[in-house]
Amino acid sequence: MSETVAHDAKASEVVEQYLETIYNMGMEGDVVIGARLAEKFKVAPPTVTETLKRMVRDGYIEMDSRRQVTLTPKGVEHAEGVLRRHRLTERFLVDMLGMQWHQVHEEACRLEHYISGAVEARVVASLGLPTTCPHGNPIPGSVPDARNYLKDQGAIRLLLAEPGQPMRLLLVSEVVEDEEAIIHYLHDRGIVPGTELSLVSGPPEPDESDAVLALADGSQLTIPARVAYALWVVPV
Ligand SMILES: [Zn+2]
Ligand SMILES: [Zn+2]
């Protein structure tokens, strides 16, 4: 994180949450529009429009004629600063405080806005330069190009994988990390980054139906298709 970002702490927590989400959706190849953000944050569309207008005014985002949202270089820099603190905080809570990986996202969402550069540097040093959060998401500044991490790793969504092809879980989408039920469900079934699994069958879209997975020990398990969509895997 650069000094300018450390001192440009005027963005409100809400704006920082928007920046993180827009960044993550972009990283996962999703089109970002107001309606999707309203759904994500469970707020009324006019509220989202208000915040987006403020973010355009402050130079964090741009909106094109189809109202698609993209981050400006300033927006990317600020989003990466917040996400870096978020993911390092999760790492700290798991590695140093012994919390479980399904418990830390919420805590990190609160703490990420208040961590100074000095604390961040100490955390990085004591953790031995981690490159990902406990859910597998890249720590900006600790990997060559966090925005293109999925592409660089050759990752695809599990739901879109070839049935039967052995895959390894790279990361759980940060877009669903804050859906506690999903994270809990995966944790309870031992599905963590590094787990080997394959798709048995699933719908072509993340709809209301289920997908069936096979684990390396031969057991099978049914998960909602939208969860399989949120899991990014790489071929074994
Ligand atoms: Zn998180
Ligand atoms: Zn995480």
Side-chain angles (χ1 to χ4, degrees):
M1 188 184 63
S2 70
E3 283 304 295
T4 43
V5 176
H7 293 131
D8 186 13
K10 275 139 208 113
S12 70
E13 281 182 38
V14 170
V15 166
E16 291 192 342
Q17 274 163 13
Y18 273 61
L19 285 170
E20 286 176 285
T21 300
I22 294 165
Y23 183 96
N24 288 328
M25 288 171 77
M27 169 178 138
E28 295 185 27
D30 292 339
V31 170
V32 186
I33 49 166
R36 293 244 18 228
L37 295 169
E39 206 177 286
K40 165 85 190 148
F41 294 123
K42 298 184 177 69
V43 294
T47 311
V48 171
T49 307
E50 257 328 291
T51 305
L52 290 178
K53 264 195 214 149
R54 229 178 331 130
M55 292 174 74
V56 170
R57 187 200 63 202
D58 294 342
Y60 289 116
I61 59 166
E62 278 164 1
M63 272 197 279
D64 69 12
S65 55
R66 287 166 303 164
R67 312 198 62 76
Q68 275 188 25
V69 180
T70 47
L71 296 175
T72 62
K74 176 184 171 180
V76 169
E77 194 182 357
H78 203 99
E80 290 196 329
V82 183
L83 279 168
R84 179 171 165 79
R85 293 191 293 279
H86 176 90
R87 291 173 182 164
L88 281 169
T89 303
E90 289 186 336
R91 224 24 313 158
F92 175 77
L93 295 173
V94 169
D95 295 0
M96 307 294 273
L97 302 190
M99 289 179 75
Q100 299 277 311
W101 71 268
H102 65 286
Q103 302 172 320
V104 296
H105 174 82
E106 279 297 305
E107 294 288 348
C109 282
R110 282 191 285 274
L111 294 167
E112 69 197 15
H113 311 286
Y114 305 104
I115 293 178
S116 70
V119 170
E120 181 187 314
R122 285 302 306 150
V123 168
V124 172
S126 21
L127 292 177
L129 312 175
T131 55
T132 66
C133 84
H135 312 95
N137 284 288
I139 296 172
S142 299
V143 294
D145 183 359
R147 270 178 116 191
N148 287 309
Y149 185 71
L150 291 167
K151 216 179 294 159
D152 293 348
Q153 299 285 324
I156 55 168
R157 294 178 182 279
L158 177 58
L159 189 65
L160 308 180
E162 195 61 49
Q165 192 186 354
M167 307 298 275
R168 180 171 52 77
L169 180 59
L170 180 71
L171 62 86
V172 179
S173 164
E174 181 105 49
V175 178
V176 302
E177 256 192 39
D178 54 2
E179 296 182 30
E180 227 181 306
I182 291 182
I183 295 296
H184 232 109
Y185 185 92
L186 295 172
H187 183 262
D188 283 353
R189 281 153 190 81
I191 300 177
V192 299
T195 298
E196 288 190 13
L197 36 71
S198 61
L199 181 73
V200 175
S201 64
E205 295 285 333
D207 57 21
E208 299 297 307
S209 58
D210 290 331
V212 179
L213 314 182
L215 299 181
D217 65 5
S219 64
Q220 289 202 351
L221 149 118
T222 301
I223 64 172
R226 57 181 289 266
V227 176
Y229 188 75
L231 300 179
W232 287 86
V233 294
V234 289
V236 172

